[in-house]
Amino acid sequence: MSIVTAVWFVVVAGFWGATNPFIKLGSKGIESIKASSPFRQFVAELWFLITNWKYLIPFVINQSGSVIYYITLASADLSLAVPITNSLTFIFTAISGHLLGERIKSKKTILGMLLVVTGVTMCVLDKVK
């Protein structure tokens, strides 16, 4: 795996993680939708989401990350692809959530984030050719 491939996985994690809090914010209000049948409920909720730009824009960016992930997997070592994207997605989610006003609950969370970044960096440096 090359360093370029690893960078693309970090980009994917950024797309996924940075959009998660925005998707959460954009979907507020969906719980108040009520319909007379399960099918109508599904359609009403789907309509709510696809007509809500606060949800739709982050969702499209998030799915763009999935397309990049799929393309990058062709030249990647799976033993690195999954840990890089999944663990760094958590980091980006926590950071973007914090920037939107969510509190990071404890210093242990910050320490854990630093350890995750350190571990991913070590794994990448070990595998990069």
Side-chain angles (χ1 to χ4, degrees):
M1 182 161 103
S2 71
I3 193 76
V4 174
T5 304
V7 168
W8 278 114
F9 285 126
V10 173
V11 169
V12 168
F15 277 24
W16 287 348
T19 57
N20 284 339
F22 288 99
I23 290 171
K24 179 181 173 184
L25 281 175
S27 65
K28 280 193 189 238
I30 197 167
E31 62 279 349
S32 64
I33 295 173
K34 303 293 182 220
S36 59
S37 72
F39 178 74
R40 287 178 190 242
Q41 180 74 24
F42 171 75
V43 171
E45 289 175 0
L46 184 62
W47 183 253
F48 173 83
L49 294 175
I50 64 174
T51 59
N52 182 353
W53 68 270
K54 291 179 183 179
Y55 173 84
L56 198 57
I57 292 172
F59 178 76
V60 168
I61 294 169
N62 185 289
Q63 292 308 298
S64 299
S66 298
V67 170
I68 295 169
Y69 183 71
Y70 179 76
I71 292 168
T72 310
L73 278 178
S75 62
D77 181 358
L78 284 179
S79 66
L80 280 180
V82 174
I84 290 172
T85 53
N86 290 346
S87 60
L88 293 181
T89 296
F90 160 71
I91 303 293
F92 284 111
T93 300
I95 291 170
S96 61
H98 179 70
L99 293 174
L100 289 173
E102 294 178 11
R103 290 189 27 149
I104 295 178
K105 303 219 189 287
S106 73
K107 292 182 181 184
K108 290 179 183 178
T109 302
I110 295 171
L111 176 62
M113 291 167 57
L114 291 172
L115 291 172
V116 165
V117 170
T118 302
V120 167
T121 302
M122 291 172 64
C123 288
V124 169
L125 292 176
D126 183 55
K127 295 270 187 167
V128 170
K129 297 174 187 173

